[in-house]
Amino acid sequence: MTNPRRLLLLGVLLLLLPLLAGHLFFYFFVTRSILLPPYESVDVRYQSEQGWTDDERQWFYHETQGGAFELIVEYDWLMALEQPTLPPLFLGPVPRLMDESYITRFGFLPNPKTHYDPAGIDIDRVREPAYAIAQGGVESTLINNPDRLPVGFARDSTYVLPTTGERLDVIGFTCAACHVGQVNFQGTGIRIDGGPAMTNLTKFQLAVGYALALTYYVPTRFDRFATAVLDPHHSAAARTGLRVKLKALIEEGETLQKAVESRHIYSTRDGFGRLDALGRIGNFVFAEELDDRNLSLSNAPVSFPPIWDTPWFEWVQYNGSIMRPMIRNAGEAMGVFARVNFQDLDDPARLFSSTVKFLNLFEMESLIRGDAPFEGLRAPVWPEDVLPPVDRAKAARGARLYEQHCQPCHLPAPTPSSPLFTDDRYWTPEDAYGNRYLKLNMKNIYQIGTDSLQASNFARRIVEVGTLGEKFRDQLSEGGGGLLMAGEALPFLVQNTIEKGYEDLGITPADSSLRDTLNGLRPNSIRAPLAYKARPLDGVWATAPYLHNGSVPTLYQLLGPWEERDRTFFVGSREFDPLHVGLQTTGSKGAFKLDTTLPGNSNRGHQFEGDFDPDTVDWWGLDEGIIGPTLADDDRWAIIEFLKTL
């Protein structure tokens, strides 16, 4: 006779097996792919010495530049999505994706501010007449943050798809998502406006994709999602329509993912605080927006650079490739998923129309720029009330060593008495508008020896512009048309998008003075050198990890021979090491392991080794990447102490 208790136990096991199988599947294919560092709560302090008021800071944190996500997610959708995790036995809800304790684990900085006063924005910091036009309603006005979005997220309820005319209420990334940082020390967070963020944008977008899929395939999740997005009493038709839109978005993401995976486009992963910016901008603008044949290998992740002083550089980007501010900023907005209509070739009213917020970009540039060099957004000051105080005697000795070993490339240190501000040889001649710009040294990739892929990938990238190039052949170099080098394709596409944007704002070609102002009073010059720029080192203490690709964790390692540098280390923590000057690099759950042996991640170059003599060095031979002699340990510490004072 069969034991009833055994039958009951067998029945329970049969019921639990699918749930167990589902949990195992979810763990291995979802949870493990989005492992995250633990949540940290710290007391945040802001640096008033950087020159921004709190209202200006909040505006920069949350004003839109015209982008959405790569998969366009509406604002209410994102706020309603639940985390891509599972409750016990699949039962019940899980917390929201945008909860602070979860979203900050992707590296985003929390922002408790819910509102700010538009009257607190110093309009003298932004140049007329563009500001007046923006405040007249042409672009979105200054915004509040009632949902306490993290730094770097912006809601845009004026988003209109340029190919269809559909109006959407979307959420996207702002400049601050990559260019506002923070270092933590013993429970205190020091916010660094304009500093490199420690965000992992790629992993966040993966989590959004998983959250969308779970919402579609798990009925109880979809019920809660529909109630939040629609209303508790929504109709069956509205529910069906929402489900259809959700499925279409998921299928769009799957198609994109398959194209990327089949060609191993992103073979070197980004991780926290890094992104192959030029590569990904190219893949979105050249491939997703223009022609999918332009999808290209993107294996050169770089650290998010600090942006203080940048408007006063003659050339910007790590490889010194762009001069005009609006080209740089509009191209960046297009790269972080502002949409452009490249398709309606026979309709001049629609061709090159976009979602880019050109006036907002101009205002952001002006806020960073200020009225004089190094007087807009300023580099952060070493906070001696939080971090160990600077040893002034050691720093004074380090200043002399800096002049010998660092100044030949990075220019005189920008201190109040620095010749950097008084010696004409460091500046371009005054232009027609009375402006001069800092001439940064460009070091060729053989001489500096750092990983070359960021520069070389852009220099050799070829773009198929097809009939668009044929239509505008007169704008292109001789022989241009269907195929262009990226160094010509990017300014061609971006400048036409800008011109169309100005036209749509009512700024005609006859308003040449206003257009020049919006363009930053700079020519549209782009180049693709096999070189990297050496910027001034003010605020360098707050920009770890080091080198353009973030492959060296501390200043101490950077000033030593290559053999002493970590081959692998973990990125994701903000805990600061004030001795070696860098961030904590020990392994922890969810941290990203940076392997410097992979393409794009090399930690060679910029080495102080041996008996270096600049007069006899063989730049094309075995001395590649050695820029100075081996430094005595005391000298390394002295230089580091001086760099803390900048």
Side-chain angles (χ1 to χ4, degrees):
M1 184 173 180
T2 305
N3 188 326
R5 294 178 63 185
R6 289 185 177 179
L7 283 175
L8 178 61
L9 181 60
L10 180 61
V12 170
L13 288 173
L14 289 173
L15 287 172
L16 290 178
L17 276 176
L19 295 177
L20 179 61
H23 270 281
L24 289 173
F25 174 84
F26 191 87
Y27 174 75
F28 282 104
F29 291 96
V30 178
T31 304
R32 292 190 65 185
S33 65
I34 49 174
L35 284 175
L36 298 168
Y39 170 66
E40 290 183 274
S41 178
V42 296
D43 177 27
V44 177
R45 298 182 55 174
Y46 297 87
Q47 289 222 353
S48 59
E49 295 90 346
Q50 289 196 256
W52 282 357
T53 67
D54 189 56
D55 287 322
E56 290 169 337
R57 176 184 296 119
Q58 293 297 322
W59 178 82
F60 182 78
Y61 286 176
H62 297 296
E63 184 59 281
T64 178
Q65 57 182 340
F69 293 158
E70 190 166 12
L71 294 178
I72 298 177
V73 179
E74 296 184 53
Y75 183 83
D76 290 343
W77 285 33
L78 189 73
M79 301 308 294
L81 284 178
E82 297 174 354
Q83 297 168 17
T85 56
L86 291 181
L89 302 179
F90 291 92
L91 301 175
V94 296
R96 295 285 174 91
L97 177 77
M98 295 298 289
D99 281 0
E100 179 181 312
S101 61
Y102 185 69
I103 190 66
T104 54
R105 294 170 65 192
F106 293 92
F108 295 106
L109 296 168
N111 188 14
K113 293 277 187 176
T114 57
H115 67 280
Y116 54 94
D117 181 9
I121 306 297
D122 183 359
I123 62 173
D124 291 334
R125 289 179 177 272
V126 291
R127 309 296 194 273
E128 297 285 1
Y131 189 90
I133 293 174
Q135 297 313 296
V138 177
E139 296 218 340
S140 61
T141 57
L142 295 166
I143 59 172
N144 292 326
N145 185 28
D147 292 314
R148 296 189 177 183
L149 296 175
V151 172
F153 284 80
R155 181 178 188 174
D156 185 359
S157 57
T158 66
Y159 194 89
V160 179
L161 282 173
T163 51
T164 65
E166 181 183 8
R167 187 184 182 101
L168 299 170
D169 183 4
V170 303
I171 189 166
F173 297 126
T174 75
C175 301
C178 300
H179 300 294
V180 173
Q182 182 172 303
V183 297
N184 299 339
F185 185 67
Q186 299 179 353
T188 298
I190 305 158
R191 188 65 54 86
I192 311 292
D193 289 326
M198 192 49 72
T199 50
N200 192 325
L201 303 183
T202 302
K203 186 168 282 192
F204 171 70
Q205 293 196 98
L206 181 64
V208 171
Y210 281 136
L212 290 167
L214 284 168
T215 301
Y216 182 80
Y217 288 109
V218 179
T220 53
R221 283 204 185 215
F222 184 79
D223 290 342
R224 294 188 293 270
F225 178 74
T227 298
V229 171
L230 301 172
D231 62 69
H233 308 291
H234 58 267
S235 67
R239 182 184 181 87
T240 299
L242 180 65
R243 191 165 180 81
V244 168
K245 288 178 64 177
L246 180 57
K247 183 180 181 182
L249 189 62
I250 293 169
E251 289 176 345
E252 180 185 345
E254 289 174 344
T255 300
L256 178 61
Q257 189 66 18
K258 287 177 182 176
V260 167
E261 289 179 351
S262 65
R263 297 174 60 180
H264 305 286
I265 297 300
Y266 302 111
S267 55
T268 300
R269 292 188 300 153
D270 300 319
F272 287 92
R274 300 195 317 157
L275 198 71
D276 185 351
L278 282 178
R280 287 183 178 267
I281 286 173
N283 279 343
F284 186 74
V285 175
F286 298 148
E288 293 185 47
E289 290 283 89
L290 180 62
D291 189 327
D292 59 12
R293 290 176 294 178
N294 289 323
L295 200 60
S296 182
L297 182 65
S298 176
N299 62 347
V302 298
S303 290
F304 302 130
I307 57 175
W308 50 79
D309 313 334
T310 298
W312 295 99
F313 296 164
E314 183 183 17
W315 294 91
V316 297
Q317 304 291 39
Y318 278 115
N319 62 340
S321 56
I322 299 177
M323 182 175 284
R324 176 174 285 180
M326 186 58 79
I327 288 286
R328 177 190 70 229
N329 296 332
E332 180 269 334
M334 291 162 64
V336 291
F337 317 127
R339 266 58 181 187
V340 183
N341 186 341
F342 294 133
Q343 311 307 323
D344 288 322
L345 297 178
D346 297 322
D347 188 350
R350 292 165 62 89
L351 184 63
F352 292 117
S353 58
S354 74
T355 63
V356 179
K357 304 294 188 183
F358 299 100
L359 298 181
N360 287 353
L361 292 176
F362 171 78
E363 291 163 15
M364 291 173 186
E365 178 77 11
S366 298
L367 188 64
I368 298 165
R369 184 180 191 270
D371 295 322
F374 296 76
E375 289 299 326
L377 176 64
R378 296 192 287 272
V381 174
W382 180 274
E384 295 188 83
D385 57 337
V386 178
L387 302 178
V390 174
D391 183 328
R392 299 293 164 178
K394 185 183 291 185
R397 193 168 74 85
R400 295 189 292 273
L401 292 165
Y402 176 95
E403 290 182 14
Q404 179 182 353
H405 298 291
C406 308
Q407 182 168 308
C409 291
H410 290 283
L411 307 181
T415 59
S417 59
S418 172
L420 184 71
F421 300 108
T422 57
D423 194 326
D424 289 343
R425 63 179 161 161
Y426 300 120
W427 298 85
T428 62
E430 193 172 280
D431 63 19
Y433 304 98
N435 293 319
R436 301 192 306 165
Y437 297 95
L438 193 61
K439 296 187 294 186
L440 303 185
N441 286 314
M442 297 295 299
K443 313 305 290 185
N444 72 67
I445 58 177
Y446 305 101
Q447 181 180 0
I448 196 63
T450 54
D451 195 290
S452 64
L453 284 182
Q454 195 269 346
S456 60
N457 282 358
F458 185 71
R460 66 191 179 203
R461 185 166 190 166
I462 298 175
V463 180
E464 172 63 70
V465 294
T467 52
L468 190 63
E470 296 295 336
K471 184 177 179 68
F472 293 90
R473 179 177 285 274
D474 61 314
Q475 297 183 16
L476 304 174
S477 62
E478 185 177 352
L483 291 175
L484 300 176
M485 300 304 296
E488 182 173 18
L490 186 63
F492 162 65
L493 295 173
V494 176
Q495 185 59 35
N496 277 286
T497 302
I498 292 169
E499 295 293 330
K500 175 60 176 169
Y502 292 166
E503 178 185 317
D504 290 344
L505 288 168
I507 306 171
T508 69
D511 299 317
S512 58
S513 177
L514 176 53
R515 288 192 174 205
D516 287 346
T517 299
L518 294 174
N519 286 331
L521 308 177
R522 309 286 295 280
N524 183 14
S525 297
I526 288 196
R527 60 188 186 181
L530 294 175
Y532 296 121
K533 72 179 191 295
R535 63 177 291 153
L537 296 180
D538 50 328
V540 68
W541 66 268
T543 64
Y546 297 101
L547 295 184
H548 73 278
N549 60 354
S551 61
V552 180
T554 66
L555 282 180
Y556 182 77
Q557 288 193 22
L558 187 65
L559 291 173
W562 174 73
E563 289 76 12
E564 294 184 12
R565 296 177 182 175
D566 293 338
R567 299 297 182 268
T568 62
F569 58 94
F570 290 87
V571 183
S573 172
R574 292 196 188 92
E575 191 63 24
F576 192 64
D577 174 359
L579 177 63
H580 301 91
V581 183
L583 300 175
Q584 179 179 297
T585 59
T586 55
S588 64
K589 179 183 177 182
F592 174 75
K593 184 178 181 179
L594 197 155
D595 184 347
T596 65
T597 67
L598 297 177
N601 287 354
S602 173
N603 65 349
R604 282 189 174 274
H606 199 283
Q607 295 158 215
F608 294 86
E609 261 181 71
D611 299 320
F612 174 85
D613 183 345
D615 295 325
T616 62
V617 66
D618 177 9
W619 294 120
W620 302 92
L622 298 177
D623 296 318
E624 179 181 316
I626 299 176
I627 62 170
T630 300
L631 296 171
D633 213 42
D634 286 348
D635 290 347
R636 289 164 75 177
W637 292 120
I639 293 173
I640 289 171
E641 207 67 15
F642 173 68
L643 292 175
K644 294 177 183 178
T645 69
L646 301 183

